[in-house]
Amino acid sequence: MIEEEMLYQKMCDWRHYLHQYPEVSYEEYKTSEWLQKKIREFGGFDIIKIGETSFIATIYGKKEGSKDVIAFRTDIDALPVKEETGLPYASLSDGVMHACGHDFHMSMLLGLASWLSDNQDQFSNAIKLVFQSAEEVPPGGAKEIVASGFLDDVSHIYGFHVFPGHQVGHIGIASGPITASQDIIELEIKGKGSHGATPELGVDPILVGAEIISSIHHIVSRNISAFDSAVISFGEFHAGDIFNIIPDKAVIRGNVRTTNKQVRQLIEERITQVIEGVCLANNATFKLNYTKGYGPVINDKFTTQIAYDTVKENLDEKYIFTNPQKMVSEDFSEYGKKIPSCFMILGGGLAEDGYEYMNHHPKFYLEESLMKNGVSTYINLVKKHSQL
């Protein structure tokens, strides 16, 4: 218990440092250097850099048993968000914040690395720790790591993502789709400007855009089965500068989230048809950029069962919830395309206990003690695989 508490205190210290010095996607140079320095201080790891800031740290167990290669992954990037938590260790990088919990993810993987370095006689496998850049911005850092070939020998890969809305330290585990795909809609509508008093002389792109958005929102309710998951949301609508002038263009941006390929394709087709039809009916033209983002994370059944059994045996079944699915997107999906994977959700607190702000919010904050069950699960997965 003393060793576990000491490791937890170290993880808290590491997280506070990482939280103070966040770096956005593809620019995590100091973060990567600091993480590599820590790994070297632990000892026993071979480090391979991939791209500018990603790296893999490998260590080999000395116990008799399975020699399968097992991987664990963390993301290392932050978001362009101005922090409003008021924490004593709040971000010192103006306009940048670990608002998605990647500081928790990194600290737990460092905790596992520390344990692995001190306990090589307690596991038999080769363990690869994946420190990945740019989860937040497509195409994402996972694709580059998978393409490097340095994970080709991996038998199973695991990862966590922290979220509010679940009890502290409770772990969501399920096979099948865990997160959604995300595609990005960028639409420019070209109309014809006019005075606000003479709309009949123009083509109003605001009205056309509003009709397009309204019609697109009918796609899920009238084209998709209630047993499938899909979400369409729009976050930007820009048009005009003056209240009494009809502008000549409007720009709309949104996103589409689904959990299977058929629904994903159908929604893309229907969105295109809606835009074409509404613009044609209103004498407007358009330019559509429909970008395919990350695919859904799909957990492997066997790997997920290993994780479930590990948590049940070492914590308690009461800590497991089996409906962890989220309509967020995650490039952990790239690993699952090649490697049997299990991506787990780790609870950081309920709204009624003060943890009311969702990931990406400037006041996002979770209960730090969630890391105890996170790192414990990682360590016990290592031990479990030595017995398989």
Side-chain angles (χ1 to χ4, degrees), residues 138 180-186 231-234 253-261 263-269 271 289-296 327-329:
S181 61
Q182 180 185 222
D183 300 330
I184 301 168
I185 306 166
E186 296 178 288
V231 174
I232 303 174
S233 299
F234 290 92
R253 294 186 178 92
N255 63 96
V256 177
R257 299 171 186 270
T258 62
T259 57
N260 72 60
K261 291 188 292 185
V263 171
R264 189 180 192 182
Q265 182 61 37
L266 175 60
I267 289 179
E268 180 182 1
E269 292 171 359
I271 285 175
N289 184 20
Y290 196 98
T291 304
K292 290 288 184 70
Y294 305 147
M327 292 303 286
V328 300
S329 64

Side-chain angles (χ1 to χ4, degrees), residues 15 39 64-65 106 124 153 173 195 213 227 229 247 250 267 275 278 280 318 321 362 365 370:
R15 191 183 85 79
I39 296 292
E64 290 296 320
M106 287 185 280
S124 63
D153 57 350
I173 309 175
H195 194 288
I213 290 174
F227 295 100
S229 298
I267 289 179
I275 293 170
V278 173
L280 179 63
K318 69 180 183 181
F321 58 97
Y365 172 71
L370 67 83

Side-chain angles (χ1 to χ4, degrees), residues 17-36:
Y17 175 85
L18 290 163
H19 193 87
Q20 285 185 297
Y21 299 100
E23 295 175 296
V24 296
S25 306
Y26 299 108
E27 298 179 17
E28 316 95 330
Y29 297 104
K30 292 181 180 179
T31 301
S32 181
E33 290 174 5
W34 185 85
L35 291 167
Q36 290 178 61

Side-chain angles (χ1 to χ4, degrees), residues 72-311:
F72 299 84
R73 171 268 203 173
T74 181
D75 31 24
I76 69 173
D77 55 330
L79 287 160
V81 172
K82 186 173 181 62
E83 182 163 354
E84 298 177 7
T85 62
L87 291 168
Y89 52 88
S91 172
L92 298 176
S93 302
D94 189 42
V96 183
M97 176 189 174
H98 272 299
C100 199
H102 299 186
D103 48 341
F104 285 98
H105 304 166
M106 287 185 280
S107 301
M108 289 188 292
L109 207 61
L110 283 178
L112 174 60
S114 176
W115 183 89
L116 291 170
S117 177
D118 292 340
N119 295 278
Q120 282 182 271
D121 60 338
Q122 292 193 41
F123 64 98
S124 63
N125 305 86
I127 307 297
K128 293 190 173 185
L129 306 183
V130 181
F131 292 83
Q132 179 212 305
S133 72
E135 183 277 326
E136 295 289 355
V137 179
K143 187 171 288 188
E144 181 180 42
I145 292 173
V146 172
S148 74
F150 288 115
L151 297 182
D152 286 354
D153 57 350
V154 172
S155 299
H156 304 273
I157 185 167
Y158 298 92
F160 268 122
H161 205 301
V162 295
F163 280 99
H166 306 286
Q167 294 184 63
V168 176
H170 285 223
I171 300 172
I173 309 175
S175 60
I178 296 299
T179 71
S181 61
Q182 180 185 222
D183 300 330
I184 301 168
I185 306 166
E186 296 178 288
L187 174 65
E188 181 180 303
I189 302 165
K190 296 180 181 179
K192 182 181 178 182
S194 181
H195 194 288
T198 57
E200 73 277 8
L201 299 180
V203 175
D204 188 345
I206 295 177
L207 190 63
V208 174
E211 187 175 345
I212 286 171
I213 290 174
S214 179
S215 297
I216 284 175
H217 278 304
H218 291 300
I219 292 173
V220 173
S221 66
R222 291 298 177 264
N223 292 262
I224 308 302
S225 167
F227 295 100
D228 289 320
S229 298
V231 174
I232 303 174
S233 299
F234 290 92
E236 295 182 60
F237 193 143
H238 306 286
D241 299 300
I242 303 173
F243 75 96
N244 63 348
I245 295 178
I246 294 172
D248 57 8
K249 73 173 184 178
V251 175
I252 300 170
R253 294 186 178 92
N255 63 96
V256 177
R257 299 171 186 270
T258 62
T259 57
N260 72 60
K261 291 188 292 185
Q262 293 76 21
V263 171
R264 189 180 192 182
Q265 182 61 37
L266 175 60
I267 289 179
E268 180 182 1
E269 292 171 359
R270 293 293 292 123
I271 285 175
T272 303
Q273 291 166 359
V274 165
I275 293 170
E276 289 174 346
V278 173
C279 285
L280 179 63
N282 289 277
N283 293 318
T285 60
F286 69 92
K287 181 180 178 181
L288 173 63
N289 184 20
Y290 196 98
T291 304
K292 290 288 184 70
Y294 305 147
V297 173
I298 300 176
N299 280 350
D300 173 71
K301 187 174 182 179
F302 179 63
T303 307
T304 302
Q305 189 63 52
I306 294 172
Y308 186 97
D309 292 343
T310 299
V311 174

